[in-house]
Structures are given as structure tokens and as C-alpha cells.
Amino acid sequence: MRKYVFDFEEGDPNNKKLLGGKGAGLSLMARAGLPVPPGFTITTDACREFFSPRKKEVDELVKQLEKNPPPAVRDELIRKLWSIIDTLSLPAGLMDEVRDRMKALEEKRGRKFGDRKNPLLVSVRSGAPVSMPGMMDTILNLGLNDETVVGLAHQTSDERFAFDSYRRFLSLYGKIVLGIDDKKFDEAMEKIKEKYGAKSDVELSVEALKELVESYKTIINKEAGGFPQDPWMQLESAIKAVFRSWMNPRAIYYRIANKITPEVAGCTAVTVQSMVFGNMGMDSGTGVVFSRNVANGENEIYGEFLPNAQGEDVVAGIRTPLHISDLKERFPRLYEDLYKNLKMLERINKDVQDVEFTVERGKLFFLQTRDAKMTPIARVKTAVDMAREGILTEEEAVLKVKPEVVLQLLYPRIDEAKAPKPIAKGLAASPGAVNGEVVFHPDDAVEKAKQGKSVILVRTETKPDDVHGFYAAVGILTSRGGMTSHAAVVARGIGKPAVVGAESIKVDYDRKLFEVNGIVVKEGDVITIDGNSGNVYLGAVPTLRPTVGGELSTLLEWADKFRRLGVRANADLPQDAKIAREYGAEGIGLLRIERMFRKPERLEVLRKVILAESSDERRKAMEELANMIKGDFKEIFEIMDGLPVIVRLIDPPLHEFLPKPEEILKEIYEAKIAGASKDKLDELEKLYKRVSALTEANPMMGHRGVRVGVTYPEVYIGLTKAILSAAAELKLQGKNPIVEIMIPQVAIPEEIRFVKEKAILPTAEEVEKSYGIKLNYKIGTMMETVRACLVADEIAKHAEFFSFGTNDLTQATFSFSRDDVENKFLPKYLELEILKVNPFEVIDKAGVGELVRIGTERGKKTRNDLEVGICGEHGGDPESIEFFHQAGLDYVSASPYRILVARLAAAHAAIKERKAKGS
């Protein structure tokens, strides 16, 4: 018979997949001898078995929820899902195991579950294999009823504490198990506080708490038909509720957003743990602490402590907690124990630890440890520092930082020289400076984001149910809560700038506005928040682009040691090349020259080239254009001095540079009305006929790329002359330009041979002779047609390098027009899972990827020194980069702002391959 339940001491700390992160962490701490309240873990196997009878129906409803439907539809789907789950029963034999473990727990604690005089109370908590902070449910103080609450008061000699615990249990049980809207409990609390003149719950007297308990029971009677007094019934229903929380909308949304697949985390475990109480007075409390600062990465204990409270009070942000240093002042010896054990856990787990703890009448207890969610800055700094301290190897440090994290390090910061006075200040919970329109409800954030608007979600405090709004917003602002509140933890985890605990802000949800120091900010108004300083500004404040340095430079230097793939940049302008070089690009993998033609005087000359009716006319216009653009090449080659620059010869369909026929017709009409001369009208008529003749039914598959070079060799002659003349002039100045000329849209080997012999090589000889020097250049092709990949062995006879243009190759392979499919049917394909991912974002390994693999293998078989790279957008996608590493490419080329991502992703790919071979 399958075993579903493990005591903390017998569970395997390394088996998170079975015990969940929380259960594994508790087993680790219990085995290490830390003061952990005793308990047991119900495995993820039990959770999967719980859902199995109606798995197909549940999965179908979850798929629909994953599409993020409108609120009304979402609510109906949730109702259906809940009604199905309510029919499910716990796996056979599970409660028998639970009862056996509860007996052992009674013996360990010297208390009895459900006893009137000496009751044992437990917490029931979720724990997925992958950390999902705040996404699932927890129930505290389970086992209380009208009789055991009296026993608890007698047991602790503290009636106030007993009824405070009871009201907490009633509200959690009502909300989580019975599905009652927590607003009803909040409203009852506010009424009691108002009646007794209390500002916070800790000021409520025992009489007030007893009255509150009765109010809560009335709510439960009205909404759910009554509260179960039987503790065993409470426990069974709580376990079911925690299993059910695996399928709540916020947990589903979190798994989608963080790409947590069923293979990684298929269900949640449940921990049942003996209660320890932080709400027994001012010598008690609860807290969350990190072994290092999760905001900036400094090696200092970081966290918060709330006296006379239970754990949910801290993470919910209902009361603003004290800094952890206050714990040091109150309980210095306890603080030292906490610090010592934190650092021990950090060394064991080889990562910064996020620890929940409770102090009960001066005694410390550990309730949870897990790897901390932290800001990108902290993630990088802690990885590097821990390697320097010997906790991690350099390889392990590199693997600790996900490639996407470095993108978030490039968040802008406030330009202090142009910043106005802030209207408010809170806690800098997650870095980055962003501006956006104010919204007050997470659903509104989602809707406005769909409209393409940048929004900042403003809340008094956030709750787990707000998580969809977090992902839609560019930043989060709350008026309550601390650095370990829900808002702070989730914002750091997903890399969104956040300011929390800005207490001067008064939020009015009904009127959709907030007031601060006499200033009224309404929904739709623009504000700027600075997650680096905690400042809040009215309006959009100018920002600055950060530079790369410090620990990030060190980490990337380590990454560069481990990676095999080179990393180059795609560029249009000199500014792109400057950024690319600053970010560590090893060259330009794709220089698009089309932007050079966009200046009006250049565009006019290019149009002469396109519209020319003779070779001589075209050559003269091309010589003029070459002189115009030579300086652009020279500037970029100089920026990238000593590094290769691949220049793609003209690629787009020629019609893109011409006026549209309908525009010319309009001009003719207007010229006639204006009484234009016959010569002017004849000129326009001639232009209209020429442009109409050049119009193509399918220009993206027509007269473009190498086909222009074959039919109009003068174009390639002029471009080659501009490129190589720029290189020659720099070489004469003592520079070292390394030029690679790339021919696009090749499908037939003879196309390359023709343009090399008729245009590129003769021009190169002419330039070398003119300047009296020998140039360092290569000639290669952009592999972006299916046929080119299949005949790569023949093409390699004429090409010194291949660069896969995976954007066009994806279009050709799927027969998709990207602009059309992304606006029309691709979203539906993704929704129906006909396609799992957008093939223009992540390489299609089975189709496009196979062509890349074939092209690479066949090309290198012909020419073993063939240089092979990729210059499509996939060059900046970590998953695609791993594939290109496996396919044997020599480099990837990405947009300048993804260079850092590519460097790190290439290192990850190499390290993973090495580890796999080693195992």
C-alpha cells in the first residue's frame, strides 16, 4: 500500500517533488536539530490521487482559466471547478494514516487533539515542489471550537490569547474551507474595532474578541450553514481545501507566468504541524527573515518581526512590522541563535534562505525554510559573493542566475537632476523606476494592459488573489505592508518594481483615487514609482539607462569562461553598436543597412537606382548613394574595431522604398487641380507606370535579396564599394576593421557564385588597388530559405560563413506571414495548443531547428572552417540558444539589449551539457 504521510524526521529533505518545498525544508531543519514544532507531511502523490477521479474535467476547466478570460467568465469557470472538486474525496486510507500521525504528535506535545482541557492545535499548510509564495492556502489554529477554546485559555492562562486565536481560525476556515468572501470578516472586524475604539486588532479586549467570535460564527452560519465543532471534520476538510488551492486561479496564473509545468510541479503537498503561538503577548511574535538582504544582496540578516502576531499578519501586510533589528534589541540571545542557524541553512542549501519563525514566550521556533525570491541585483550579487566565500563554485554561481534576470538589471533609474519632489515615500521593495496610469483593481490592470497601456497597480495592501494584476502592471504601490509582505515578495519574484508601506497614501477604492498630503491622484493619472529609493512622483519622471559593472561583470566574465558559443549583436545604427560593445558583444552578427537609406536625400537617390531604366543610369545613381553611406559604415566599423562586422547587402523588397501607386495617383489628381505643367504631369504619369510595373503580388517572395544582385549587379557593386572603401580608409589610419559581406535570400548555389564573380570580387580588387592595401574580409550568406538548408553542402563551396536568418526561415517553413498570423490566428493556435509556443519567439526545434541542424552539418562537411551563426530574434532567447549550442553553431547574434542574456544562456547551455556528459 502506498505511503502518503511522513513525519518531518523521516522525510527525505532532497525529495521536494514528493514532500513539496515546505515539507522538505521542515525535514531538513528537523534532522539538523533546529527547534521545529513537530508535524508531518502529506505527499504530492496524495494530492494527485485526490484529483484523479475527475482529472479530465478539472484539466479542461484549468485550460480555460489559463486563457485569462474576462472576470465574469472566470468566476463562472471557478464556480464549476469548485463544484467538481467539492465532489472529490481524500484518497482511501489517507485519513487513517493522518490519525496515526496525529496520535504520535499528541505524544510528542503532551496534548490531545480535540481535548477540552489540554487541546492540541495544528496548522495545515500547502507546499508545492517549486516555491509559489502566497499562491495557495494556509489554515492556522485548527482544532479550536467552543469547548477547546476554553481549554486553551486554561492551558495558557490567557483568555484573550485563546479567543484571539479562535477568531483567527474562524476567519481562515470560513474563507479557505467554506469559500466565504473575506470582506465579510473584515467588515465585522472593523465594526468591532470602531465599537471598542481600537486602532488595531492587538488593542481589542477579551470581551471584544468574544463578540467578534460570535459575529464570525453568525457569518459562517448564514453563508455556509454552520461551523463544524468536530476537530477531525475540520482537519479533513482543511486538507481537502489545501489540495483544492492548487487549482485556485492565482496559483494557476502563477504557474503559467513562471512556466511551472506539471512535470516540474504536478501538485501540492500538505504539512500538518503543531501550533506554536506568536500572539501570546509582547514576549511573543512572528517574523520572516532572509539570510542576506534580498533587495540589494548585502551579506546582512534582512527581515521583519511583528510582536504579538501570527504568521499571516506579516505576509498579508495588514500591520506594518518592525525591522528584524528590533528582535535583536528585545531578545539578543534569541537573535544570535536565529542568525547562526540561518547561516547554517544557507550553507547546506547553497542559496539565500527565506525563513519563517515564531517566538512563543521568548522561545524561538523555525516554521519554514526555502530558497529566497530576490531582486535581480541581489540574485547576481549573492551568487558572486557566495562563490567568493566558497559556498558555491563559479559554475554553480553562473547557474544560479537565470538569463532573463540580467534583463531586469537593465531597468532604468530616476534621473535625479530632472526629478521633482516626491509626493510620498515608502519602502523600496523591488528595484526599477517605472511610470504608468494608476489603477486600483487587478482586473482593471489586466484590461488596460490588453489595450497596450502601462499601468501601476495601487492597493492598500495586496492579496494573493491580486496576482494577475501584478503581471499586467509595470509596477506596484501599496500603502501598507513591509519588505516581507505579499506585495514585496511577489514583486521581487517576478521582477516588477514595487514600493510598499507608503503610509501617507490614503486609498479610496470606491472613488478610485488616493490622497497624499493634500494631493488627489485619480485613476488614469500618471505616476512614477522608484523601487530603488521608495519614492513616488506625480507624472512621468525622466529615467536613465544603467551601465554594466560590479558583480554582474564578474558573473559574466565567469560565464564567458564556460560558454562555447560566441555572442554577437544585431544592429541598425552606430548607437546599437556602442551598446553592443559595452555589453560584451564579440562583433556584429547582422548589420542591417536599410536604415541608412531613410534620410530624405538618400531615399531620393535610392529611388533613382530602383527606377533606373538602364544599367548606366543605375550605376551612376548607385555611385552617388555609395558615397553617401560610406561614412555610416566607417563609423560602425570604427566602434567595433578589431571585431567582425557582418554587413547584410540590401534585403527588403524594393517596393518598400518607393511611394505606393495610390499615393502617386493622388499626387497626379492634386497636380491637375493645381494646374501643374504638362512636363510635371508627364513625369508623374511616368513614375506611376514604372512603380506599377514594379509592383509584385507577393513581394516578400519576389524581387529581393540576392535576386536584386543578380538582376542589378550595379547595386551590389555600389554597396561593396561603400563597405570596403570604409574599411580601407580605417585600415590606413591604423585601425583593424574585420568585414564580412552577407548575401541574403540565397536558395541556389549559383546565385552566390554569380554575384561574387560579377559584383563583389571585382569591386574588392578595385578598392584594394585604389587604396594600395590588402583587405581582411569574408563573403557568406544568410541561410533563410528552406532549399538553402537542404543544399548547404553545395552553397558552402561558395560561402565562407553561414548565418541563419530564423525569422524568414520560420516564415518559409510554416508558410506563415508573421505580421498576419500574429494578428489573426496565432493567438488561437496557442490557445488551442495547436502550437505550444510562438515559433517566432522560441525556435521550432522539430521543423526550423532541424533545417538549422541539417544546414550546419552539411555546410561544415564541405568546408570544415565554415563559420556558422544565427541572427534571427531567436538569438536572444535562452531556450533557443541552448538548442543552437547543441546543433553545433559557432555564435548567436541578438539585439543589443539581449547580449547579456545570450552570454549567460550560452554558458548555461555549455555547463548543462558538460554535467550531462559527466553523469
Side-chain angles (χ1 to χ4, degrees):
M1 184 175 174
R2 181 184 288 180
K3 180 179 172 70
Y4 286 130
V5 184
F6 292 83
D7 285 337
F8 294 158
E9 292 82 1
E10 68 174 327
D12 179 0
N14 297 313
N15 197 346
K16 290 183 180 180
K17 203 155 190 177
L18 181 68
L19 301 178
K22 189 178 276 97
L26 286 163
S27 288
L28 172 69
M29 292 190 292
R31 287 185 172 197
L34 272 64
V36 175
F40 54 86
T41 300
I42 301 170
T43 65
T44 55
D45 285 347
C47 179
R48 274 187 285 270
E49 190 65 26
F50 172 73
F51 285 110
S52 63
R54 303 191 68 176
K55 185 177 184 299
K56 285 186 179 179
E57 296 162 90
V58 168
D59 286 349
E60 181 55 40
L61 288 167
V62 168
K63 280 184 181 179
Q64 293 180 55
L65 282 168
E66 287 174 349
K67 298 168 190 174
N68 197 20
V73 177
R74 179 192 66 206
D75 292 346
E76 178 58 22
L77 289 171
I78 294 166
R79 188 195 63 76
K80 288 180 180 178
L81 182 61
W82 257 222
S83 66
I84 288 173
I85 294 173
D86 283 343
T87 68
L88 301 176
S89 301
L90 294 178
L94 174 59
M95 282 308 295
D96 292 334
E97 285 191 64
V98 168
R99 286 178 182 271
D100 287 342
R101 299 294 169 166
M102 286 295 288
K103 285 179 184 177
L105 196 54
E106 289 172 338
E107 291 174 9
K108 288 178 182 177
R109 294 291 282 161
R111 299 170 186 171
K112 191 168 179 61
F113 191 56
D115 190 73
R116 299 180 184 183
K117 295 181 179 179
N118 189 25
L120 170 68
L121 304 185
V122 296
S123 64
V124 181
R125 308 175 79 189
S126 60
V130 175
S131 179
M132 296 172 56
M135 295 303 108
M136 290 177 291
D137 292 329
T138 291
I139 301 165
L140 305 179
N141 308 316
L142 189 141
L144 282 173
N145 57 28
D146 292 348
E147 294 181 339
T148 56
V149 70
V150 177
L152 182 64
H154 176 75
Q155 183 189 80
T156 58
S157 302
D158 191 338
E159 191 177 27
R160 189 199 175 279
F161 153 73
F163 278 90
D164 181 54
S165 300
Y166 195 16
R167 65 92 181 171
R168 290 170 183 273
F169 173 53
L170 286 168
S171 62
L172 281 172
Y173 191 90
K175 172 190 171 186
I176 292 165
V177 178
L178 302 176
I180 300 170
D181 189 342
D182 59 346
K183 286 182 182 178
K184 296 184 184 299
F185 298 107
D186 293 343
E187 288 166 0
M189 168 66 84
E190 290 305 314
K191 285 179 182 178
I192 292 292
K193 286 199 294 189
E194 185 178 348
K195 178 178 177 179
Y196 286 88
K199 291 182 180 178
S200 69
D201 58 333
V202 295
E203 297 175 11
L204 292 174
S205 65
V206 66
E207 289 78 15
L209 289 168
K210 285 181 176 179
E211 189 173 332
L212 185 60
V213 162
E214 292 306 314
S215 295
Y216 283 0
K217 287 198 294 187
T218 300
I219 292 169
I220 292 171
N221 285 334
K222 182 179 178 182
E223 299 293 326
F227 168 72
Q229 294 286 324
D230 180 0
W232 289 104
M233 185 182 294
Q234 294 172 7
L235 181 57
E236 183 171 352
S237 58
I239 292 168
K240 285 180 64 174
V242 173
F243 282 159
R244 180 178 64 190
S245 72
W246 177 253
M247 292 296 182
N248 71 43
R250 63 180 185 267
I252 292 167
Y253 193 90
Y254 187 90
R255 292 197 293 274
I256 297 166
N258 290 277
K259 298 179 181 178
I260 300 172
T261 63
E263 293 75 29
V264 173
C267 219
T268 185
V270 177
T271 59
V272 179
Q273 189 172 25
S274 173
M275 283 295 303
V276 287
F277 302 99
N279 58 326
M280 294 188 78
M282 297 310 287
D283 62 348
S284 303
T286 187
V288 176
V289 66
F290 301 90
S291 57
R292 300 189 188 221
N293 189 313
V294 291
N296 59 31
E298 291 295 332
N299 190 2
E300 59 187 12
I301 191 168
Y302 175 91
E304 293 167 329
F305 176 72
L306 195 57
N308 198 18
Q310 289 194 326
E312 292 302 299
D313 297 337
V314 178
V315 294
I318 295 166
R319 287 161 55 195
T320 300
L322 305 175
H323 191 270
I324 196 68
S325 58
D326 286 282
L327 182 68
K328 187 175 184 179
E329 292 176 13
R330 290 167 186 257
F331 308 105
R333 185 174 294 178
L334 185 149
Y335 178 89
E336 290 304 317
D337 286 345
L338 178 63
Y339 182 87
K340 178 185 70 177
N341 287 315
L342 265 176
K343 288 301 179 181
M344 179 190 72
L345 289 168
E346 181 180 82
R347 282 194 166 271
I348 291 172
N349 289 312
K350 290 192 166 191
D351 210 338
V352 180
Q353 292 302 287
D354 169 359
V355 169
E356 291 180 24
F357 67 95
T358 286
V359 177
E360 181 182 287
R361 290 181 172 170
K363 185 176 180 182
L364 173 66
F365 293 92
F366 287 84
L367 305 183
Q368 173 172 300
T369 188
R370 60 186 173 190
D371 294 345
K373 302 284 185 182
M374 60 190 92
T375 66
I377 292 170
R379 176 68 284 176
V380 171
K381 179 171 174 53
T382 56
V384 171
D385 286 352
M386 290 170 79
R388 287 171 172 163
E389 294 163 21
I391 298 172
L392 300 173
T393 65
E394 290 180 1
E395 267 195 4
E396 287 171 335
V398 168
L399 289 176
K400 283 289 181 190
V401 182
K402 292 181 180 178
E404 297 85 351
V405 166
V406 296
L407 265 187
Q408 296 164 9
L409 279 172
L410 303 180
Y411 279 147
R413 55 186 175 83
I414 292 291
D415 184 348
E416 297 294 346
K418 298 177 181 178
K421 183 180 178 182
I423 60 172
K425 186 174 180 68
L427 301 172
S430 188
V434 289
N435 64 70
E437 294 183 14
V438 169
V439 294
F440 294 96
H441 196 282
D443 287 345
D444 295 330
V446 171
E447 289 307 309
K448 289 205 172 187
K450 285 180 180 177
Q451 298 165 21
K453 295 180 179 178
S454 295
V455 297
I456 291 177
L457 180 62
V458 180
R459 304 286 284 168
T460 302
E461 73 259 351
T462 64
K463 297 178 180 179
D465 290 334
D466 298 337
V467 69
H468 56 301
F470 274 57
Y471 283 94
V474 297
I476 296 98
L477 170 64
T478 71
S479 61
R480 292 185 197 161
M483 296 296 279
T484 57
S485 64
H486 172 265
V489 171
V490 175
R492 283 194 294 268
I494 64 176
K496 291 291 176 86
V499 174
V500 303
E503 295 183 341
S504 60
I505 288 175
K506 309 302 176 190
V507 178
D508 187 330
Y509 291 136
D510 292 333
R511 294 193 292 161
K512 292 192 173 183
L513 57 82
F514 71 78
E515 297 182 59
V516 54
N517 301 322
I519 299 170
V520 176
V521 179
K522 298 177 181 176
E523 183 159 282
D525 290 347
V526 174
I527 62 170
T528 299
I529 63 169
D530 183 6
N532 303 305
S533 67
N535 287 334
V536 181
Y537 302 90
L538 194 60
V541 177
T543 56
L544 299 171
R545 182 176 64 86
T547 55
V548 178
E551 285 82 7
L552 178 58
S553 290
T554 301
L555 186 84
L556 290 169
E557 286 169 13
W558 293 346
D560 291 342
K561 287 194 301 185
F562 301 129
R563 66 181 167 89
R564 179 189 62 75
L565 280 174
V567 177
R568 301 184 186 181
N570 300 336
D572 293 283
L573 303 166
Q575 183 61 27
D576 297 334
K578 287 178 183 175
I579 294 169
R581 184 131 202 182
E582 179 187 330
Y583 287 171
E586 296 161 326
I588 299 295
L590 171 63
L591 175 60
R592 307 178 189 93
I593 65 173
E594 289 74 31
R595 285 275 186 95
M596 296 179 183
F597 305 138
R598 292 303 178 184
K599 291 181 179 179
E601 65 276 15
R602 297 180 182 183
L603 185 58
E604 184 180 343
V605 177
L606 178 60
R607 285 177 174 176
K608 287 181 183 178
V609 172
I610 297 169
L611 296 170
E613 296 182 352
S614 70
S615 175
D616 187 55
E617 184 183 348
R618 187 173 299 108
R619 183 172 55 254
K620 287 179 181 177
M622 199 62 220
E623 285 176 0
E624 182 182 356
L625 184 62
N627 288 328
M628 288 179 164
I629 62 177
K630 180 177 70 175
D632 291 20
F633 289 123
K634 195 171 177 180
E635 184 178 0
I636 290 173
F637 294 160
E638 188 166 14
I639 291 168
M640 302 305 294
D641 188 49
L643 297 174
V645 176
I646 296 181
V647 183
R648 183 183 68 185
L649 300 179
I650 195 164
D651 179 53
L654 296 179
H655 79 280
E656 289 190 8
F657 301 101
L658 297 173
K660 294 177 181 177
E662 55 268 29
E663 291 174 353
I664 303 171
L665 279 176
K666 183 182 178 185
E667 195 175 346
I668 292 171
Y669 175 74
E670 291 172 347
K672 286 180 177 178
I673 291 176
S677 67
K678 183 176 182 300
D679 288 346
K680 176 66 175 175
L681 290 172
D682 287 346
E683 181 185 335
L684 288 171
E685 292 281 1
K686 184 180 178 183
L687 176 63
Y688 174 71
K689 289 177 182 177
R690 185 76 178 120
V691 170
S692 297
L694 290 171
T695 300
E696 297 176 287
N698 192 346
M700 293 306 291
M701 299 181 74
H703 195 203
R704 60 177 293 207
V706 69
R707 299 153 212 159
V708 172
V710 170
T711 54
Y712 301 153
E714 305 84 12
V715 174
Y716 273 23
I717 290 169
L719 291 173
T720 302
K721 186 174 183 180
I723 292 164
L724 295 182
S725 294
E729 291 177 12
L730 286 172
K731 191 163 184 179
L732 289 174
Q733 295 171 16
K735 304 290 185 183
N736 182 28
I738 302 173
V739 179
E740 301 186 23
I741 297 173
M742 181 159 67
I743 305 165
Q745 288 295 320
V746 168
I748 308 165
E750 287 299 305
E751 290 174 317
I752 298 185
R753 184 195 60 76
F754 181 88
V755 295
K756 281 175 69 177
E757 292 178 0
K758 295 294 183 182
I760 299 173
L761 293 176
T763 305
E765 289 177 13
E766 180 188 323
V767 171
E768 287 178 331
K769 186 176 180 181
S770 173
Y771 285 92
I773 57 171
K774 191 71 179 171
L775 290 171
N776 179 14
Y777 72 95
K778 289 181 180 179
I779 300 170
T781 184
M782 198 168 186
M783 302 286 283
E784 50 193 332
T785 67
V786 174
R787 191 176 192 277
C789 298
L790 297 176
V791 298
D793 50 344
E794 293 297 317
I795 287 177
K797 293 176 182 178
H798 307 284
E800 295 170 275
F801 69 87
F802 287 173
S803 181
F804 286 94
T806 51
N807 296 346
D808 273 9
L809 187 57
T810 299
Q811 291 194 108
T813 305
F814 279 92
S815 192
F816 282 175
S817 165
R818 180 173 184 176
D819 291 341
D820 292 327
V821 303
E822 288 192 329
N823 290 326
K824 293 184 172 67
F825 63 82
L826 186 55
K828 193 69 176 178
Y829 269 47
L830 295 170
E831 177 186 316
L832 296 172
E833 295 187 353
I834 292 172
L835 284 169
K836 299 294 182 184
V837 293
N838 183 336
F840 294 105
E841 294 175 357
V842 179
I843 195 75
D844 163 44
K845 298 182 185 70
V848 180
E850 190 60 21
L851 288 171
V852 170
R853 198 186 294 276
I854 290 169
T856 301
E857 290 174 355
R858 293 182 181 178
K860 290 201 171 192
K861 190 173 182 180
T862 295
R863 187 189 289 264
N864 58 19
D865 64 345
L866 184 74
E867 176 188 83
V868 181
I870 176 264
C871 60
E873 286 180 39
H874 301 98
D877 170 63
E879 185 177 335
S880 303
I881 289 170
E882 185 171 357
F883 170 80
F884 297 134
H885 172 90
Q886 294 165 353
L889 273 67
D890 299 307
Y891 70 86
V892 296
S893 189
S895 68
Y897 287 102
R898 295 196 75 88
I899 293 298
L900 305 182
V901 174
R903 288 169 67 187
L904 195 54
H908 279 217
I911 294 169
K912 287 176 184 175
E913 181 183 61
R914 193 155 52 249
K915 284 179 177 289
K917 287 180 179 177
S919 61

